[in-house]
Amino acid sequence: MCLYRGHASALCNALSTYTTACQDAPAKVEQWRSDSFCPSSCKVNSHYEVCASGCPQTCSGLDEPESCWNSLCTEGCVCDDGFIQSDSECVPLAECGCIHQGQYYQMGQVFFPSGQCKERCV
């Protein structure tokens, strides 16, 4: 903290790293962020949780992978009820995209499956 002259972001980064280390231990971490101290910056349709799932449901995989069944929690942003993660956004389930040949595409995303501009998908 001395090196960064008490800058708040350095403290918040250090506390976030400490939180991760404690959760990996595994130790219970209480809520430590607030609107005035190291506020979280979650995107629209999401909120912060100190102990969120490390494997959230996503549009590209609605079922939680077996490897996540015993996963520890991690602090971070989670989608609000009624929303699901599509890449880095939280969208209503009806706005999830599709999977084509194992690759997830967001709703409305344009792609060329053969890579040669002969076939265009939306």
Side-chain angles (χ1 to χ4, degrees):
M1 286 307 297
C2 294
L3 179 64
Y4 292 101
R5 299 181 186 187
H7 198 273
S9 66
L11 174 62
C12 295
N13 288 339
L15 290 173
S16 182
T17 301
Y18 187 68
T19 297
T20 300
C22 289
Q23 289 173 328
D24 288 346
K28 184 178 181 191
V29 177
E30 297 294 331
Q31 181 69 38
W32 60 274
R33 292 182 186 266
S34 71
D35 290 338
S36 59
F37 182 75
C38 299
S40 61
S41 55
C42 296
K43 293 185 177 185
V44 67
N45 302 323
S46 67
H47 63 278
Y48 171 82
E49 288 185 10
V50 72
C51 188
S53 169
C55 297
Q57 281 189 328
T58 66
C59 288
S60 61
L62 297 175
D63 294 326
E64 190 174 78
E66 225 177 279
S67 61
C68 293
W69 290 353
N70 293 323
S71 69
L72 302 173
C73 67
T74 181
E75 74 162 342
C77 297
V78 297
C79 293
D80 295 338
D81 287 341
F83 294 87
I84 191 164
Q85 193 170 334
S86 175
D87 286 337
S88 64
E89 306 292 323
C90 291
V91 300
L93 183 58
E95 292 181 20
C96 278
C98 65
I99 297 176
H100 179 74
Q101 297 178 347
Q103 174 70 39
Y104 174 73
Y105 297 93
Q106 291 179 296
M107 181 180 271
Q109 183 176 353
V110 176
F111 63 98
F112 299 88
S114 64
Q116 298 177 8
C117 300
K118 292 181 180 179
E119 184 180 19
R120 179 179 185 258
C121 296
V122 179

